[in-house]
């Protein structure tokens, strides 16, 4: 049995950011894959960024994905509909320009944005949203959750050995600058892990088989997107990148922070998962 385990390829699942609709889409895709026989629970590491941190916690803890899919179809009164203003979007574009191809500089710029544009949502309100989305409070040992140090711009991956609660880590990972409030952990302040890369897929380098779900696959400024990252990683691994198909894009709509689109997005994601299951299973 030990020999069999050593001979098995190492596997990673990467779940990217994309707001509340990104959560719904990823849950739908996973539900469609699972019902078609693709067992992504069987992975060595799960890397979650922003929306993907919520889904990653569920996947890594073995939560029933069909149940989580059904929850996307129900109204959640705790969810808050928010949107990025034109002014905030312009600030984000400036951060990409100012940071250029240096992810840490981009991260630091977003830290400045987060500090100078306080969220209209209180910490208490945001915590209720996070609690309503999180399916477990226990750190799965193979889960990694990304966040950015708002002062230095450095990307960090929290895990079960970080001495940080899963609730706080996931809150930090999804703290979109100007949308959701900054999160204080260990004397530092943290912002959304997806502001330098929507997936942070390169954290999975070294694993032999990698499945990436990216609700927002495009790059930021000079920083490569999920497709470029996946292409480079294919030199040393089998990589299957899943991005929203045409139906999923329509279901997600223009505002990824709109909870009213959760149901339609989850349904579109599940159909997409079913359609690609055979190909994913072949590489997994």
């Amino acid at each position: 049995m030990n020999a069999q385990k050593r001979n098995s390829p190492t596997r990673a699942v990467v779940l990217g950011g994309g707001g509340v609709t990104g959560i719904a889409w990823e849950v739908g895709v996973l539900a469609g894959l699972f019902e078609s026989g693709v067992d992504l629970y069987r992975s060595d590491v799960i890397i979650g960024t922003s929306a993907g941190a919520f889904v990653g916690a569920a996947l890594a803890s073995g939560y029933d994905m069909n149940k989580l899919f059904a929850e996307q179809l129900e109204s959640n009164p705790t969810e808050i509909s928010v949107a990025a203003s034109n002014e905030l979007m312009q600030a984000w574009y400036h951060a990409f320009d100012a940071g250029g191809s240096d992810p840490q500089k981009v991260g630091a710029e977003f830290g400045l944005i987060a500090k100078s544009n306080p969220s209209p949502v209180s910490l208490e309100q945001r915590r209720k949203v996070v609690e309503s989305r999180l399916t477990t409070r226990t750190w799965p040992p193979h889960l990694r959750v990304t966040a950015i140090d708002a002062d230095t711009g450095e990307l960090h991956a929290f895990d079960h050995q970080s001495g940080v609660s899963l609730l706080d880590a996931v809150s930090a990972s999804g703290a979109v600058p100007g949308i959701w409030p900054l999160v204080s952990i260990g004397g530092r302040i943290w912002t959304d892990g997806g502001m330098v890369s929507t997936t942070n897929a390169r954290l999975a380098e070294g694993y032999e088989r990698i499945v990436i779900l990216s609700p927002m696959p495009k790059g930021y400024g000079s920083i490569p997107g999920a497709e470029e990252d996946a292409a480079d990683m294919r030199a040393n691994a089998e990589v299957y990148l899943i991005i929203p198909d045409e139906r999923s894009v329509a279901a997600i709509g223009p505002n990824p922070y709109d909870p009213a689109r959760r149901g339609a997005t989850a349904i579109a994601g599940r159909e997409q998962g079913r359609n690609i299951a055979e190909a994913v299973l072949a590489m997994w």
Side-chain angles (χ1 to χ4, degrees):
M1 182 174 180
N2 289 335
Q4 181 180 359
K5 186 174 182 180
R6 285 195 301 270
N7 292 331
S8 298
T10 55
R11 295 177 170 87
V13 176
V14 178
L15 300 163
V20 68
T21 56
I23 293 174
W25 177 77
E26 290 180 354
V27 169
V29 170
L30 291 174
L33 290 174
F34 284 132
E35 71 177 46
S36 303
V38 184
D39 183 9
L40 294 187
Y41 289 115
R42 189 166 54 96
S43 59
D44 297 288
V45 68
I46 294 171
I47 300 166
T49 291
S50 198
F54 292 95
V55 182
L59 180 64
S61 65
Y63 193 81
D64 184 345
M65 209 54 61
N66 285 326
K67 181 179 179 181
L68 192 55
F69 172 81
E71 292 170 9
Q72 305 307 304
L73 309 185
E74 301 171 355
S75 175
N76 182 353
T78 308
E79 290 286 355
I80 302 170
S81 183
V82 292
S85 67
N86 289 332
E87 293 77 13
L88 184 59
M89 291 292 292
Q90 288 303 315
W92 289 357
Y93 294 142
H94 174 75
F96 300 140
D97 290 338
S101 60
D102 187 332
Q104 188 164 340
K105 288 183 179 179
V106 173
E109 290 291 330
F110 273 106
L112 291 173
I113 293 172
K115 287 181 279 188
S116 60
N117 292 270
S119 168
V121 178
S122 71
L123 282 168
E124 293 75 19
Q125 288 176 303
R126 173 58 175 168
R127 195 168 185 86
K128 289 180 180 178
V129 173
V130 174
E131 288 174 341
S132 73
R133 293 177 181 176
L134 203 55
T135 58
T136 182
R137 300 294 186 273
T138 303
W139 262 107
H142 58 307
L143 175 66
R144 308 288 181 269
V145 172
T146 68
I148 295 170
D149 186 311
D151 292 320
T152 67
E154 184 178 2
L155 180 71
H156 183 77
F158 293 108
D159 61 22
H160 71 293
Q161 296 180 320
S162 299
V164 174
S165 75
L166 182 60
L167 181 67
D168 284 345
V170 172
S171 295
S173 187
V176 183
I179 298 290
W180 302 118
L182 287 161
V183 176
S184 178
I185 300 174
R188 310 294 301 176
I189 52 174
W190 302 86
T191 192
D192 193 300
M195 303 316 293
V196 296
S197 167
T198 58
T199 62
N200 294 301
R202 291 189 180 275
L203 293 177
E205 287 182 333
Y207 290 88
E208 296 166 288
R209 296 182 183 175
I210 305 167
V211 172
I212 305 169
L213 275 70
S214 180
M216 293 180 169
K218 294 182 179 179
Y220 291 154
S222 301
I223 296 177
E227 292 180 339
E228 292 91 341
D229 283 345
D232 290 343
M233 293 165 69
R234 287 190 179 104
N236 298 302
E238 293 184 74
V239 181
Y240 198 103
L241 173 65
I242 306 171
I243 66 175
D245 61 12
E246 186 175 349
R247 183 182 175 192
S248 293
V249 169
I252 290 169
N255 179 16
Y257 310 111
D258 183 0
R261 290 184 172 269
R262 291 165 64 239
T265 301
I267 291 170
R270 182 175 64 176
E271 185 62 27
Q272 184 176 353
R274 290 168 172 168
N275 291 338
I276 62 175
E278 185 176 348
V280 177
L281 183 61
M283 67 79 64
W284 188 249

